[in-house]
Amino acid sequence: MRRSSLPTSLTTLACVLLCQFASAEPQLQAWLDQRPVPLQWSNPAPQRYSVELELSAGQLRLQAPNASGSAQPLALYQRQDWHAGSSFNLQIGAPGRYRLMFQEDAQPHLRLLPLRENAPRSVCRAWQGEALSVAVGQVFADGEVLRDAYSGQLATVENGRVELTPAAHSDGLLLLEPAEASTEVKHDWRNATVYFVITDRFANGDTSNDRSYGRQPDGEQEIGTFHGGDLRGLTGKLDYLQQLGVNALWISAPFEQIHGWVGGGDKGDFRHYAYHGYYPMDFTRLDANMGTEDELRELIAQAHARGIRVLFDVVLNHPGYSTLADMQQLGFGALRSGMAQHLPPRWSDWRPEGFENLHAYHNLIDYQHAAWRNWWGKDWVRAGIADYDAPPSALVDPIKGSLAFLPDFRTENPQPVALPPFLQRKADTRAVPREGYRVRDYLVEWLTFWVREFGVDGFRGDTVKHVELESWAALRQAADQARADWAAANPDDPMSGSPFWMVGEVFGHGPQVNVYQANGFDALINFDFQGQLAAKASECLSQAEEGYRDYAELLANDAGHNFMSYASSHDTSLFFAEQGEQLERQRGLAAALLLSPGAVQIYYGDESARPLGPSGSDPQQGTRSPMNWAAQQQAPIAELLEHWRILGQFRARHPAIGAGRHQRLSSQPYAFARTLGDDRVVIVQGR
């Protein structure tokens, strides 16, 4: 779920718009040694709350107002499920500032994190340049010649040991592999390196499509406008991704989005277009800002030639908002009486008065007019306008509730529906009426069209827990058939024998086995890595040992299980910013993430320390800043990028890293092995 700005006016008809369902602050109380701790919550995104606490040493207690019974122990960083009777205790040993985060959704939970200045002291030591003697006899036999993939040095195992000096800029790493290892790599999704890119912010390959549908820059900070990245730009960067060891490219949904803008952030302080792909309008067409279908075919063909699979972000939960531009261009909705005189000839050029913000455009619109039946129609979405049903709170009903005030698709509706009225009038849509189709059936057909016709290799499902499992299962079944049809028509494509793959976003979920994997998903995104492992493992890998062991055991205990770990995302935060823009920690992240069991996701620019961009009143916007290509020409970033490339290529060569058995070999220096069949590696860090 993206943490989008709220586009509705909170002073006018916003409650069209469902503001009456906005959730109250968390019902949670805090004491420190019997003294109440005030909780002044901020609400940075729908259903998310946080508060910074200045705590002295003592016993912290967090509890629900109606809690009873003894308190459970609370661990720093650890996600804790929350319910009406919850109560937790934690001994605060280091006085300082802490952040308490609360997620209030279908499965409420909280986390408590120390802020950097009072985080627990690291047990890591700086590597001093010394040679490292490593016991490898449990993995490699005497006489075997090993290669350090970082430096290229060779060493022969003698008496179960090798001795090597890590490369000067390796952070004390040795990446040991057999010198004569096979160059043939068998793909394993448990060892996937997925590169996630918001296409519009990555690379501009065709400037002629930058202002499609009349979209315009704002001439200010360009927080929520289209920046020009497109499919052709992605194709031009495939060699770059291959050099990173990437074997799957997850791109933001390229389907046609709403054409206009909504007010961005709580304050309506920027124009927010659908540059991120989460405000879809016509699933059967590419958005013109993304490029042409020929360019999509070329991207997928060129990616496949490099061993890179292409995943589409997909949304089953909601379409995009209505905008002035789409009302005018597509003929739905209505203005309030007399309001037309306040609009320029092109409605999307409207500007607020000095005393207004961008949310004020809602004042122009009559949301109770019968002409709203010409939009999606009440059989398709719950929207709370005109004769449309109003969605319940997502806290009460996560399936039928609205997220970020977006219209909610009625995917659970068993009744057949006609095409949405605006699509019946849209000249260039591929959507055609189908006898007996439900909302779910249309969405499944539209999304799997891209698999059948273009060879899309997989989906990343958005807001998964807010759509019933049956719809996801139906999407997967149809996608598998579409994949088989595409493979039969394209037998010479390098990926024709590769099955479809689907990963889901269940916000806050960890690496555990789950019900979603019996309903279409091969893996879920692992939110725990960012909160529990990324920071401490970036200091030194030994601090990841327990997490690495647990992850590997989950995979070993269930051959069909997988998860995808990440450290930065468009929905949460950038690791580089969270760690105070320290290049050393960004280097450490490369090892922490790319040597982790299970699939991993690089968020574009993790490898080059992409900084935050401007956010306005929506903090998530800054995580979607333009790719920092120019910085890669500067020595510190160029060296960082090379570090990521070495580790990424090492991971790509060895399925054992993500999918193999984990075994700690020694504590000083810290060394562990990963083994999968004949594939064997040993990783050492002298710090």
Side-chain angles (χ1 to χ4, degrees):
M1 182 193 309
R2 79 238 105 274
R3 297 315 188 214
S4 307
S5 54
L6 304 183
T8 54
S9 168
L10 299 181
T11 59
T12 63
L13 286 166
C15 295
V16 110
L17 301 178
L18 316 174
C19 65
Q20 67 265 37
F21 295 112
S23 59
E25 289 187 347
Q27 297 300 300
L28 187 156
Q29 299 170 337
W31 288 269
L32 186 66
D33 288 341
Q34 309 306 315
R35 299 187 305 275
V37 177
L39 299 178
Q40 297 181 352
W41 297 100
S42 63
N43 185 200
Q47 300 179 300
R48 291 180 61 203
Y49 297 85
S50 70
V51 59
E52 289 192 11
L53 305 174
E54 190 76 34
L55 300 176
S56 58
Q59 181 85 358
L60 178 69
R61 183 181 181 91
L62 301 172
Q63 71 172 46
N66 300 321
S68 60
S70 58
Q72 302 177 56
L74 179 70
L76 291 175
Y77 301 102
Q78 181 68 44
R79 165 183 164 150
Q80 299 285 358
D81 290 336
W82 183 261
H83 55 79
S86 290
S87 179
F88 296 105
N89 279 343
L90 172 67
Q91 186 66 38
I92 301 294
R97 291 194 309 125
Y98 293 77
R99 178 176 291 119
L100 177 62
M101 299 186 298
F102 191 90
Q103 179 80 17
E104 190 171 27
D105 55 17
Q107 297 177 311
H109 57 273
L110 60 80
R111 282 192 176 94
L112 184 68
L113 292 80
L115 299 184
R116 283 191 299 276
E117 56 266 36
N118 65 290
R121 294 188 64 178
S122 170
V123 299
C124 306
R125 67 176 185 87
W127 175 61
Q128 301 299 316
E130 73 273 17
L132 302 179
S133 178
V134 188
V136 297
Q138 296 181 65
V139 183
F140 299 111
D142 280 359
E144 282 196 77
V145 179
L146 306 185
R147 174 180 178 269
D148 171 25
Y150 206 106
S151 66
Q153 299 175 81
L154 300 178
T156 302
V157 181
E158 296 181 5
N159 298 319
R161 306 185 73 86
V162 293
E163 183 172 315
L164 285 166
T165 301
H169 301 293
S170 68
D171 298 340
L173 281 171
L174 295 174
L175 309 176
L176 302 178
E177 60 188 359
E180 302 300 326
S182 170
T183 58
E184 182 180 354
V185 176
K186 182 179 180 181
H187 182 264
D188 191 319
W189 277 108
R190 295 172 297 173
N191 190 54
T193 301
V194 180
Y195 193 89
F196 169 36
V197 58
I198 294 180
T199 305
D200 174 70
R201 304 300 171 90
F202 193 61
N204 193 344
D206 181 5
T207 57
S208 71
N209 61 28
D210 290 359
R211 299 188 181 184
S212 301
Y213 314 111
R215 295 165 177 157
Q216 299 292 325
D218 61 23
E220 298 176 6
Q221 292 183 294
E222 309 299 344
I223 294 172
T225 57
F226 278 84
H227 290 193
D230 49 32
L231 299 172
R232 187 185 295 181
L234 276 174
T235 302
K237 297 298 183 181
L238 288 173
D239 287 343
Y240 171 87
L241 299 180
Q242 187 179 31
Q243 290 165 8
L244 274 173
V246 167
N247 45 36
L249 171 62
W250 156 20
I251 67 174
S252 52
F255 320 116
E256 185 176 353
Q257 303 291 302
I258 59 174
H259 295 173
W261 51 266
V262 294
D266 294 338
K267 297 180 179 179
D269 49 341
F270 60 91
R271 294 190 176 203
H272 188 177
Y273 287 91
Y275 68 87
H276 43 50
Y278 291 117
Y279 301 161
M281 182 170 69
D282 187 346
F283 291 90
T284 74
R285 287 293 182 186
L286 291 179
D287 193 276
N289 267 78
M290 297 296 100
T292 68
E293 292 183 358
D294 284 343
E295 288 167 339
L296 176 61
R297 291 188 192 279
E298 181 68 7
L299 168 65
I300 293 175
Q302 292 295 331
H304 286 181
R306 291 166 174 80
I308 299 173
R309 292 152 173 83
V310 177
L311 314 179
F312 275 12
D313 215 329
V314 299
V315 184
L316 279 182
N317 178 255
H318 57 262
Y321 304 105
S322 63
T323 70
L324 288 171
D326 298 309
M327 289 172 63
Q328 184 179 30
Q329 293 171 16
L330 296 171
F332 59 76
L335 301 176
R336 292 169 58 196
S337 178
M339 289 296 110
Q341 62 183 317
H342 297 287
L343 284 169
R346 188 169 64 177
W347 293 2
S348 61
D349 290 338
W350 173 86
R351 292 181 178 277
E353 300 292 340
F355 57 87
E356 298 176 315
N357 63 34
L358 289 166
H359 291 318
Y361 82 87
H362 293 292
N363 295 331
L364 305 168
I365 301 172
D366 181 356
Y367 283 108
Q368 298 307 318
H369 198 282
W372 282 99
R373 69 184 57 164
N374 296 324
W375 189 33
W376 283 94
K378 67 177 183 178
D379 292 337
W380 271 80
V381 298
R382 286 172 282 264
I385 62 175
D387 63 344
Y388 290 66
D389 291 340
S393 165
L395 296 177
V396 175
D397 190 334
I399 301 299
K400 299 179 182 179
S402 171
L403 299 175
F405 306 100
L406 286 153
D408 185 69
F409 276 136
R410 301 172 67 111
T411 47
E412 82 295 340
N413 185 1
Q415 300 303 316
V417 296
L419 275 182
F422 85 93
L423 284 179
Q424 294 178 30
R425 303 186 307 274
K426 188 171 181 286
D428 65 342
T429 186
R430 283 196 180 93
V432 295
R434 302 291 193 193
E435 185 70 26
Y437 264 33
R438 301 161 295 177
V439 171
R440 174 193 302 170
D441 301 322
Y442 278 109
L443 292 172
V444 166
E445 177 180 290
W446 296 342
L447 290 170
T448 56
F449 162 78
W450 302 97
V451 180
R452 179 175 288 103
E453 295 298 322
F454 294 87
V456 170
D457 300 282
F459 290 154
R460 178 267 188 185
D462 182 64
T463 56
V464 166
K465 66 183 175 183
H466 297 286
V467 177
E468 65 284 349
L469 292 172
E470 293 83 357
S471 286
W472 292 116
L475 178 65
R476 176 54 184 270
Q477 182 178 9
D480 284 341
Q481 182 58 57
R483 180 69 174 183
D485 294 344
W486 171 81
N490 297 273
D492 296 330
D493 188 284
M495 299 298 173
S496 65
S498 177
F500 195 76
W501 193 72
M502 204 155 85
V503 59
E505 178 230 30
V506 177
F507 205 88
H509 204 285
Q512 298 83 9
V513 175
N514 55 81
V515 68
Y516 300 97
Q517 287 173 271
N519 289 275
F521 289 95
D522 297 283
L524 294 185
I525 293 172
N526 173 25
F527 286 78
D528 284 357
F529 183 89
Q530 184 185 49
Q532 298 175 19
L533 279 187
K536 61 185 182 181
S538 71
E539 292 184 315
C540 59
L541 288 177
S542 60
Q543 298 192 129
E545 169 60 29
E546 183 177 355
Y548 280 179
R549 182 198 64 213
D550 292 346
Y551 286 4
E553 285 182 0
L554 282 169
L555 297 172
N557 291 337
D558 184 344
H561 184 55
N562 197 6
F563 44 84
M564 187 170 75
S565 301
Y566 77 98
S568 300
S569 88
H570 62 320
D571 280 344
T572 54
S573 62
L574 289 184
F575 182 87
F576 185 52
E578 285 291 297
Q579 302 303 316
E581 297 194 349
Q582 301 178 62
L583 287 179
E584 179 183 2
R585 296 297 290 277
Q586 204 70 11
R587 291 176 63 88
L589 176 63
L593 182 65
L594 295 174
L595 299 176
S596 184
V600 298
Q601 172 228 298
I602 300 172
Y603 187 36
Y604 75 103
D606 275 348
E607 73 279 13
S608 55
R610 176 173 59 88
L612 283 173
S615 288
S617 61
D618 178 359
Q620 262 57 57
Q621 297 296 327
T623 67
R624 307 157 188 179
S625 54
M627 183 63 175
N628 58 335
W629 295 113
Q632 295 185 11
Q633 308 307 311
Q634 301 167 10
I637 302 302
E639 292 171 2
L640 172 67
L641 178 58
E642 182 59 21
H643 181 69
W644 277 77
R645 284 172 171 166
I646 291 170
L647 283 156
Q649 291 170 12
F650 180 64
R651 177 183 176 90
R653 286 196 300 274
H654 295 290
I657 293 175
R661 184 173 65 93
H662 177 88
Q663 180 183 12
R664 181 166 66 178
L665 300 179
S666 65
S667 298
Q668 195 60 255
Y670 175 61
F672 64 85
R674 298 272 173 76
T675 56
L676 181 69
D678 293 334
D679 189 26
R680 301 163 294 154
V681 296
V682 169
I683 290 96
V684 188
Q685 189 173 46
R687 57 187 305 177

